[in-house]
Amino acid sequence: MCKMASKHHICERIKQQLRQRIVSGELGPGMRVPSEYELVAQSGAARSQARKALQELERDGLLVRKRGSGSYVAPQVDGSFPINGPIYETVRIVVPEYGSRYVRQILEGFMERMLANGTNVITSYEQFTDPEHEAAFLNLVDRMDVAGMVTWVINDSPVVRDALRRLRDRQFPLVLVDRSVTDLDIDIAASDNEAIGYQLTQALIERGHEAIGLVTSRSDTAHTIIEREAGYRRALEEAALPCDERFIIRLDETQTDHTRDVAGVIAHAQRPTAYVCINDALAESLETSLRQLGWTTDHGFEIACVADFEPRRGGWLPTEYIRQDGVAIGRNCAELLLARMADASRPAQHILIPSGPRVYEGPRDIEDLEPTGTTGAQGAVLGASH
């Protein structure tokens, strides 16, 4: 027990020392703070204690951590650093994970604007696999000691919608990020997902493809997915190209092996020459399945996808990809939340943020990739039939 208390004390001491250096102005906005190794050398702490201190300061909105570079004092929009003055209110932002570049950018943009306003930020990472658990969390929000919240809805279900309506009716300041929930009078900041689906499909049309399929989710029913599929269909219609339902692969993202689903589409003599993938996780699933079925870059197959991870995972097929502007989405979430906190009766706003430019990434040598296992006879037949 004493040993655990001592570890906690060391972590808190590191946090307080860094916080004091930030508050005093010794470490100004954008300045790099000592690394985990430097903190270990300076304080004699274990690396795990130094890491925990930096993570908690980031959670509190004082630091921004950049992969491969280090931790920096949170930047401010107007160049000021209001942490020198009082923190008047605290808000919470809830996102499903921290692994993607896109989510980190949302947090960066949100914290930047909130700290410039003198508002403290608590970050929560919640991956609600059960709608009941998500609804239970939402039903507790207005009893938490926060002035407002931004949340990423995981489950668009009746119980979650009821919880969101209750918060709306109680005029609790709430903003939805990334995923919209239709027919609710609640502020939303998200990508223009219909435009993303359209642009990805248009990219493949411009590269000369006429038989273009879609890889989407069977397990995720978020409106984001529906909007991107609508953009895919609109692009094909405008180009007078067929939207063949046989070319649409709906994968269950709760499963790990999608080879059978992919094989059922590409085994036909008439099959797509390119695929739009709703996100980069599904693009990775498609590429993994094709490798297991014996495909190589010689097949001339191309994909287009949203790339939220950096670098894009998988990635041996030539790819047109789009990245979402997470920083702009985060800043707009902050603006919407501040406006809602100032006037709870104002009309709800839905802000759609354009994505970044399209980027083309050529094929990688498949021999450089890790083996995925044996392809078997089915893979040899599929490869020969192309």
Side-chain angles (χ1 to χ4, degrees):
M1 180 69 71
C2 292
K3 188 174 182 180
M4 289 181 63
S6 176
K7 288 182 178 180
H8 176 73
H9 175 73
I10 293 172
C11 176
E12 284 298 313
R13 177 161 53 83
I14 295 172
K15 280 176 57 182
Q16 291 304 320
Q17 289 173 348
L18 285 175
R19 187 185 293 271
Q20 181 58 38
R21 294 178 68 185
I22 293 171
V23 170
S24 68
E26 178 186 348
L27 292 172
M31 290 182 63
R32 183 180 176 277
V33 302
S35 68
E36 293 173 12
Y37 294 105
E38 290 168 333
L39 290 172
V40 168
Q42 293 169 10
S43 65
R47 187 182 173 193
S48 61
Q49 296 160 351
R51 182 187 303 116
K52 187 171 187 290
L54 291 174
Q55 289 173 339
E56 292 185 3
L57 287 171
E58 179 189 22
R59 181 200 62 194
D60 294 342
L62 295 179
L63 301 181
V64 174
R65 307 191 79 187
K66 299 181 180 180
R67 182 176 295 180
S69 177
S71 298
Y72 298 81
V73 179
Q76 304 305 310
V77 173
D78 58 3
S80 65
F81 194 64
I83 200 70
N84 287 323
I87 296 292
Y88 296 104
E89 293 177 299
T90 298
V91 298
R92 182 184 293 271
I93 181 168
V94 182
V95 292
E97 45 86 20
Y98 190 65
S100 80
R101 172 184 180 272
Y102 171 54
V103 173
R104 293 197 304 273
Q105 283 189 333
I106 290 174
L107 294 175
E108 178 185 339
F110 182 77
M111 289 180 178
E112 178 183 273
R113 180 64 188 92
M114 280 301 185
L115 287 174
N117 187 66
T119 303
N120 194 25
V121 177
I122 298 173
T123 303
S124 299
Y125 306 105
E126 304 285 352
Q127 182 59 262
F128 297 106
T129 57
D130 185 342
E132 296 288 347
H133 291 165
E134 185 168 12
F137 173 82
L138 291 170
N139 282 323
L140 291 174
V141 166
D142 53 341
R143 284 175 262 173
M144 299 177 185
D145 190 19
V146 292
M149 186 175 78
V150 170
T151 189
W152 182 310
V153 173
I154 303 296
N155 302 284
D156 186 356
S157 67
V159 290
V160 170
R161 284 171 172 264
D162 287 344
L164 292 171
R165 287 191 191 95
R166 191 187 71 83
L167 289 172
R168 179 202 62 194
D169 294 344
R170 291 176 65 87
Q171 295 193 327
F172 178 81
L174 179 69
V175 176
L176 305 184
V177 61
D178 182 79
R179 296 185 166 200
S180 61
V181 179
T182 57
D183 306 324
L184 291 181
D185 190 29
I186 297 177
D187 295 317
I188 298 169
S191 293
D192 188 343
N193 287 294
E194 200 272 349
I196 285 176
Y198 179 89
Q199 292 164 15
L200 291 173
T201 310
Q202 187 65 33
L204 295 175
I205 294 172
E206 290 174 2
R207 294 187 64 81
H209 294 281
E210 296 183 352
I212 302 172
L214 177 75
V215 180
T216 186
S217 177
R218 184 166 66 235
S219 52
D220 190 340
T221 59
H223 207 258
T224 300
I225 305 294
I226 298 170
E227 290 166 348
R228 291 180 185 175
E229 181 171 338
Y232 157 79
R233 292 178 182 274
R234 178 166 70 89
L236 292 179
E237 181 181 355
E238 289 185 6
L241 293 175
C243 182
D244 194 328
E245 297 298 324
R246 296 175 302 172
F247 293 173
I248 297 180
I249 305 175
R250 301 187 187 276
L251 301 180
D252 185 345
E253 292 182 271
T254 64
Q255 299 178 358
T256 56
D257 186 355
H258 300 114
T259 309
R260 184 181 297 274
D261 295 295
V262 173
V265 174
I266 66 171
H268 299 289
Q270 292 182 335
R271 57 176 175 260
T273 60
Y275 260 98
V276 172
C277 301
I278 294 299
N279 57 47
D280 50 1
L282 290 173
E284 182 181 12
S285 295
L286 175 65
E287 289 183 307
T288 299
S289 298
L290 289 174
R291 284 181 61 200
Q292 291 174 337
L293 293 167
W295 279 44
T296 69
T297 52
D298 293 338
H299 286 79
F301 199 79
E302 294 185 310
I303 62 174
C305 71
V306 180
D308 288 341
F309 288 83
E310 174 126 21
R312 191 178 71 78
R313 300 179 298 178
W316 60 273
L317 286 171
T319 305
E320 289 268 3
Y321 64 85
I322 286 175
R323 290 197 176 105
Q324 302 179 82
D325 191 345
V327 172
I329 291 173
R331 287 174 180 162
N332 276 275
C333 282
E335 295 291 354
L336 287 173
L337 188 57
L338 290 172
R340 180 64 54 189
M341 290 160 62
D343 180 6
S345 63
R346 66 192 294 272
Q349 287 185 269
H350 292 186
I351 299 178
L352 299 181
I353 307 299
S355 63
R358 291 184 344 222
V359 177
Y360 177 75
E361 186 178 89
R364 291 172 56 194
D365 189 344
I366 199 168
E367 299 301 325
D368 294 337
L369 302 178
E370 292 294 327
T372 60
T374 58
T375 59
Q378 186 184 35
V381 171
L382 287 169
S385 67
H386 182 75

